[in-house]
Amino acid sequence: MESKRQKQVAKQIQKDLGEIFQREMKSQLEGAFVTITDVKVTPDLAIARVYLSFLLTKDKEGILQIIRENTKSIRTQLGERVRHQLRIVPNLQFFIDDTAEYAQKIDALFATIVIPPAEEETES
């Protein structure tokens, strides 16, 4: 169960990282549109796990690798934005959020299910 403070910090990090990816990192991401779908912060606020979704790219792993290589500069930019709200800027860990793809696969499976019509019971 996340505390109120963890939720507040996660929301602030999500907002600020979104702006960083849209403005400062745009040229490095090869035209990919990066969305921060979720941020989970540890109870001590030292680590933030950032879940990303990618649009307009086929190479999600490649873009994720670029982001991971630039984690230090991203954290620095985040620190400049949250320096008055947080005492310690959390270490950032980036992951691909595949929930949309998973939901799409489940929907496709449900679409292929054939349910035979129920037989009406006859009264004797």
Side-chain angles (χ1 to χ4, degrees):
M1 184 79 180
E2 283 185 318
S3 70
K4 184 177 178 181
R5 180 70 176 151
Q6 281 176 280
K7 290 177 184 176
Q8 289 173 335
V9 170
K11 189 169 187 142
Q12 185 65 42
I13 290 171
Q14 184 174 6
K15 177 184 166 285
D16 289 333
L17 283 179
E19 291 174 4
I20 290 169
F21 284 132
Q22 294 303 312
R23 295 192 179 121
E24 284 84 13
M25 296 279 302
K26 192 172 188 175
S27 62
Q28 297 173 5
L29 298 177
E30 302 169 1
F33 186 75
V34 179
T35 305
I36 291 95
T37 57
D38 197 15
V39 176
K40 300 284 186 199
V41 181
T42 57
D44 62 356
L45 306 178
I47 298 172
R49 291 180 183 89
V50 182
Y51 296 90
L52 306 171
S53 175
F54 302 103
L55 297 173
L56 306 176
T57 185
K58 299 284 185 196
D59 186 19
K60 294 177 182 180
E61 289 293 332
I63 300 296
L64 181 63
Q65 188 60 34
I66 291 170
I67 291 170
R68 285 180 175 164
E69 289 169 359
N70 290 299
T71 299
K72 188 174 180 179
S73 67
I74 294 169
R75 185 171 180 248
T76 301
Q77 292 175 33
L78 178 65
E80 292 170 3
R81 293 170 182 259
V82 298
R83 68 176 180 249
H84 298 296
Q85 290 97 5
L86 300 176
R87 191 178 327 164
I88 298 170
V89 179
N91 290 319
L92 303 173
Q93 298 175 347
F94 295 101
F95 302 96
I96 293 177
D97 183 12
D98 58 357
T99 53
E101 292 171 4
Y102 181 74
Q104 196 173 33
K105 287 179 184 177
I106 297 297
D107 285 342
L109 286 173
F110 281 133
T112 61
I113 295 175
V114 177
I115 302 172
E119 294 182 22
E120 292 183 25
E121 293 183 22
T122 58
E123 295 181 24
S124 311

